[in-house]
Amino acid sequence: MHLDPFELHRPTSVEATVRLAHELHGRFDYLAGGTDLLPNYKMHLNLRPHLIALHDVAELSGHSPTRIGAMERLAAIDEDAAYRTAYPVVGDAVGEIATPLVRASGTVGGNLLVETRCFFFNQSYFWRESLGFCLKADGDKCHVVPQKEVCYATFSGDLAPALMVLGAEVEIAGPTGRRRLPLGDLYDAKGDGIRRLAIAPGELLVAVHLPADAGSWRGRYRKLRVRPSFDFPELGVAVAARFDGARVQGLRIAIGGVEPRPRQFDELTRPLEGGALSDDRVRELAARLERSVRPVHNTFLAPDYRRRMVGVYVRRALADVREVRAG
Ligand SMILES: Cc1cc2nc3c(=O)[nH]c(=O)nc-3n(C[C@H](O)[C@H](O)[C@H](O)COP(=O)(O)OP(=O)(O)OC[C@H]3O[C@@H](n4cnc5c(N)ncnc54)[C@H](O)[C@@H]3O)c2cc1C
Ligand code: SF4
């Protein structure tokens, strides 16, 4: 497998980057660590003739307790013991992304915007050609759910659910300026595995911002994967809670790895706020969450198994946060 030629651009400011993106009219991809994009390019998946490298845009680097630049390396968060202690849910998630080598190059922005995955997509050109191309690259049908309209490729990033339950917002830059939106709204609720983002093509992710109260949420992330050494999540469950004595004051759960976008389930967790987080309530919540997700057969583990594991992992993650409170 080889990389086809492309033109590489290296802007040095956010404004110059989005201006260039606008001029290239969608005929480009942003290049961060390249740990997702370049393997996809080698497999001839949706190649573009231009790459805009973000490495020289100083504003995209660095992290503080309330801001992470989009180009901050995953390793920088993973190796920051104080950050991991302040936000255990982020520490859990970042420490389980890929391998140390990938984390040394991979970035926070690239992780939040990582391409959705599917058996029939993450394959070489020849493999895909011999079976018949699909909607997400070069073709016009889906092999997972036979039809010609919707792609069910799975969002398989670990960080998004963990940052969502802390109330993170993303800062986005486009040709008309900057704006902020809740991280969960970055992912298009009406989209699919192809039209997966709610931002316009060419808009740039500048940073992730955490609210001032993020440190008061006790959170954990639990990940199901085949090989613990480096696999993508087959399911990722992030839980964050705030307690007032025995009562749970706030409760958030976000789930990734089972659908085309990570989803937070406030409609199921809010009714529990103000009461005790009893074993019965936890069991009922876990069962409801299990019924709410829609995995399909496009990753290694069977969809029914992944769905059942939602309940198991929610119960385990909630037990973890209850333990932290007790300690
Ligand atoms: C062996 C292996 C194992 C992996 N395992 C995991 C895993 O367990 N969990 C996991 O979450 N990921 C995993 N990954 C995927 C990937 O390495 C990570 O998600 C990584 O964080 C991607 O970051 P990057 O900087 O390399 O992104 P890139 O590959 O550079 O970019 C990814 C996508 O984001 C876009 N993009 C990047 N930055 C911006 C920005 N600032 N604004 C707008 N668009 C942007 C790019 O155009 C591209 O579409 C794995 C990868 C490999 C090779
Ligand atoms: S879900 Fe269907 S359209 Fe989407 S990548 Fe898989 S086979 Fe292709």
Side-chain angles (χ1 to χ4, degrees):
M1 284 190 283
H2 64 275
L3 275 177
D4 276 13
F6 50 78
E7 193 173 333
L8 184 68
H9 306 264
R10 301 192 70 119
T12 54
S13 71
V14 166
E15 286 65 33
T17 304
V18 292
R19 210 169 34 242
L20 178 59
H22 189 62
E23 285 162 14
L24 290 172
H25 290 298
R27 296 170 55 244
F28 75 95
D29 276 311
Y30 288 125
L31 175 66
T35 59
D36 186 54
L37 188 76
L38 296 181
N40 286 350
Y41 268 37
K42 285 185 179 173
M43 292 197 273
H44 282 230
L45 291 163
N46 300 325
L47 302 182
R48 306 263 163 76
H50 298 268
L51 285 187
I52 304 181
L54 303 175
H55 306 75
D56 296 339
V57 185
E59 190 188 336
L60 302 182
S61 308
H63 72 273
S64 72
T66 55
R67 180 190 186 275
I68 311 177
M71 280 297 283
E72 187 68 336
R73 305 289 164 178
L74 297 169
I77 306 291
D78 191 32
E79 288 161 10
D80 183 340
Y83 197 91
R84 293 182 62 124
T85 305
Y87 307 119
V89 64
V90 178
D92 288 348
V94 82
E96 298 210 347
I97 296 170
T99 62
L101 200 60
V102 173
R103 292 197 292 272
S105 302
T107 64
V108 168
N111 192 266
L112 295 178
L113 295 169
V114 69
E115 189 54 85
T116 49
R117 298 180 65 79
C118 171
F119 266 158
F120 300 96
F121 175 70
N122 299 102
Q123 301 288 353
S124 70
Y125 188 86
F126 303 105
W127 191 101
R128 290 183 295 115
E129 187 180 35
S130 61
L131 179 75
F133 296 118
C134 80
L135 277 171
K136 193 164 163 63
D138 308 310
D140 68 352
K141 58 178 181 284
C142 176
H143 300 297
V144 176
V145 180
Q147 39 77 49
K148 290 172 177 267
E149 305 294 330
V150 181
C151 166
Y152 292 85
T154 303
F155 177 81
S156 306
D158 283 300
L159 265 186
L163 287 165
M164 280 162 69
V165 295
L166 295 183
E169 289 188 341
V170 283
E171 181 181 339
I172 303 293
T176 55
R178 299 194 188 201
R179 66 199 164 99
R180 279 201 196 187
L181 63 156
L183 171 56
D185 292 353
L186 181 62
Y187 308 100
D188 192 347
K190 294 190 186 128
D192 67 357
I194 298 168
R195 296 156 291 270
R196 59 204 181 87
L197 298 176
I199 55 174
E203 284 195 300
L204 176 74
L205 174 60
V206 175
V208 181
H209 296 273
L210 287 179
D213 74 351
S216 66
W217 290 81
R218 304 311 303 173
R220 301 306 315 203
Y221 179 75
R222 287 278 193 157
K223 172 173 178 174
L224 170 68
R225 56 180 162 174
V226 178
R227 293 167 297 183
S229 52
F230 78 107
D231 272 336
F232 283 86
E234 293 274 339
L235 163 69
V237 173
V239 165
R242 269 205 298 223
F243 293 93
D244 175 13
R247 287 186 310 127
V248 62
Q249 242 185 2
L251 181 61
R252 297 173 182 158
I253 297 181
I255 296 180
V258 282
E259 294 176 344
R261 69 181 171 112
R263 254 205 297 160
Q264 188 165 317
F265 293 86
D266 289 346
E267 70 283 7
L268 298 184
T269 55
R270 284 230 174 91
L272 274 70
E273 291 175 358
L277 204 53
S278 64
D279 290 345
D280 281 351
R281 286 179 155 201
V282 167
R283 261 196 303 274
E284 191 183 327
L285 173 65
R288 283 181 168 207
L289 285 160
E290 245 179 69
R291 291 195 295 271
S292 300
V293 297
R294 307 258 175 282
V296 294
H297 199 189
N298 65 352
T299 64
F300 191 80
L301 298 174
D304 276 354
Y305 178 73
R306 284 154 72 211
R307 177 198 294 282
R308 273 187 287 126
M309 287 303 104
V310 166
V312 173
Y313 277 55
V314 164
R315 288 199 301 276
R316 286 182 188 168
L318 281 169
D320 289 345
V321 294
R322 286 199 290 182
E323 221 167 80
V324 172
R325 181 184 64 91

